[in-house]
Amino acid sequence: MLIAASLSVLVALLHLYFMVLEMFLWTRPVGLKTFRNTPEKAAATRVLAANQGLYNGFLAAGLLWGLMSEQWNVVVFFLVCVTLAALYGAYSVSRRIFFVQGIPAIAALAAILIG
């Protein structure tokens, strides 16, 4: 289960990073570059991005809570949530989202199922 836990921590860390990007760096150069936004578009969508970032923080918190309490059913629930969000993001925004968010979550789920 070490591989499953490590991959789940990676997914949680990714979502903490997304939270910081969306809540605090959305209108800054790193946020603009990451999300391929213009300063005008970023300014207009800043509140929406912060809300989205908060949800990414909740996903990370859920994963870490499940891992720390060794409740694998909780970890699986949050990994499925991440996978579904990645699928919807790939459908509605960019396929790149699936590779950045979905593949690590699916890898963690596979490791849990195999372990």
Side-chain angles (χ1 to χ4, degrees):
M1 288 304 239
L2 179 62
I3 293 172
S6 298
L7 289 169
S8 297
V9 167
L10 171 67
V11 174
L13 291 174
L14 282 169
H15 281 78
L16 286 174
Y17 178 64
F18 301 148
M19 180 192 76
V20 170
L21 277 173
E22 293 167 347
M23 292 188 79
F24 307 110
L25 303 174
W26 186 257
T27 58
R28 304 208 184 237
V30 67
L32 295 173
K33 183 177 179 184
T34 301
F35 295 103
R36 300 174 182 167
N37 268 337
T38 63
E40 297 78 23
K41 183 178 176 186
T45 58
R46 183 179 189 162
V47 173
L48 293 172
N51 188 47
Q52 185 171 295
L54 186 62
Y55 286 104
N56 278 309
F58 291 147
L59 290 172
L63 285 167
L64 294 173
W65 166 52
L67 288 164
M68 289 171 50
S69 62
E70 297 183 20
Q71 295 182 54
W72 289 99
N73 57 332
V74 172
V75 175
V76 167
F77 171 79
F78 281 98
L79 289 171
V80 169
C81 289
V82 169
T83 302
L84 293 173
L87 287 168
Y88 184 74
Y91 166 76
S92 63
V93 179
S94 168
R95 289 184 184 166
R96 190 170 65 127
I97 292 172
F98 179 76
F99 294 102
V100 174
Q101 291 181 311
I103 295 297
I106 291 168
L109 281 168
I112 291 169
L113 295 175
I114 291 169

